[in-house]
Amino acid sequence: MILVDEPKNIKRVIRCPYHSWCYDLNGDLKTTPHVGGPGQNTHEGICPEDLSLFKMKSYVWHDVVFVNIDGKADPFEVVNKELMERWSEFKQPSYHGGEKSSFKLNVNTNWKLAVENYCESYHLPWVHPGLNSYSRLEDHYHIEEPNLYSGQGTLVYQQLRNETFPDFDGLSDKWDTGAEYIAVYPNVLLGAHRDHLFSIVLEPLAKDKTQEHIELYYSEDPAATPERESLRQENATLWKSVFEEDIFVVEGMQRGRLGEHFDGGRFSPAMDSPTHNFHHWVASQISSNG
Amino acid sequence: MCVDSLHDALIAAHSDNDQHQLVSLYQQAYQQMRKNGHIEASFFYLTNAYVFALDCGHGDADDIAAILKQENRL
């Protein structure tokens, strides 16, 4: 059974909608209504202490819940120490931009191709000519950490227009015109700018279907700054249009893989190393698991 | 509230997913059954009141739990 299948505020318990067994917020089984017959909520054959929800390691970073299901991984903050240090300047309050700063894209592709597309800047001149007009290929650099993450950075990030969002506090000069886009393996894509952040969680729906969950964050509480709501909407619209420009690419790569002579293709030694970093991680995971 | 009215109110509260109302109505059902000597049925209803009280964070949850424990039902 799925205990919680939509966003909601949990009060004192998580209640299974099927037989109303209730678990407290630590996952311990709190009550088993009618388990011993109507009105009798205990039974000698049912030991609540043995029936807690399974506990899984989790860590919330940039409002994304990272979960280690098999429990074998080191703690998130240990595994991702370098990345967290890289973006330590953003370890400060951030605020979700509200309803218009949340959107989903349904894409007919395997989730891994969305990661691949996100990792590299090689495609920017052809797929995102609007971006490339100010953010040229040569203004980008690779980000790659074997077995952990990869992505790209730009040296010429421009804010929307004269009217801008306030910056996050205390950022170094690097972020005046810098921005970074990093895929945290396996399926989380993050973007960092002086004035906003975004996350994309790739939800694999089928081998060739992915839903992208996009959320945008700012340095200020949107409830306290209604005067910038239109600007937040404009920013969300801009990013949505950029992400939509990638859809034909990732769907085309998916379809192309069905070609009889598809052999995996070739990486550009100069431009594709962040993507290769991801491929290597995927291959390593498959080979290490069996 | 008569039995039929209580039944209708419970159905309506379930339909509306009004959990606070369900807590109140199931406690009323408990009292009615208790008064009429239907002890097993009464604790069936009180259990339901307890579950919905837990689920919605109702202030009566602990009091209901105390009754159920006292009666060795929890």
Side-chain angles (χ1 to χ4, degrees), chain A residues 11-12 15 31 34 39 41, chain B residues 44 47-48 51 55 62 73:
Chain A
K11 306 292 185 177
R12 288 183 59 172
R15 181 173 68 90
T31 190
H34 313 309
N41 306 306
Chain B
F44 171 83
T47 295
N48 289 7
V51 166
D55 201 11
D62 291 336
R73 304 266 172 174

Side-chain angles (χ1 to χ4, degrees), chain A residues 12-135:
Chain A
R12 288 183 59 172
V13 295
I14 300 168
R15 181 173 68 90
C16 176
Y18 196 13
H19 298 114
S20 284
W21 287 24
C22 296
Y23 304 85
D24 67 20
L25 300 189
N26 289 319
D28 294 327
L29 182 54
K30 187 170 178 63
T31 190
T32 51
H34 313 309
V35 74
Q40 182 50 262
N41 306 306
T42 61
H43 188 279
E44 61 184 10
I46 299 294
C47 181
E49 290 76 19
D50 295 338
L51 296 169
S52 301
L53 299 178
F54 292 107
K55 289 180 168 56
M56 287 185 282
K57 290 182 182 176
S58 63
Y59 193 92
V60 180
W61 194 53
H62 289 296
D63 209 31
V64 177
V65 183
F66 292 82
V67 178
N68 171 222
I69 294 174
D70 72 7
K72 296 177 181 174
D74 288 332
F76 179 89
E77 61 271 36
V78 172
V79 173
N80 293 285
K81 182 171 182 287
E82 200 276 344
L83 175 58
M84 295 173 82
E85 285 176 358
R86 182 185 190 100
W87 281 6
S88 61
E89 292 181 68
F90 291 96
K91 188 179 180 181
Q92 57 180 291
S94 64
Y95 300 86
H96 189 270
E99 186 181 351
K100 302 286 187 184
S101 295
S102 174
F103 55 93
K104 298 175 177 35
L105 295 175
N106 287 295
V107 188
N108 294 317
T109 192
N110 185 277
W111 66 274
K112 295 189 291 298
L113 294 177
V115 177
E116 177 170 330
N117 172 248
Y118 190 78
C119 283
E120 48 95 341
S121 57
Y122 191 15
H123 68 288
L124 297 186
W126 320 109
V127 179
H128 307 292
L131 280 182
N132 198 65
S133 65
Y134 75 84
S135 183

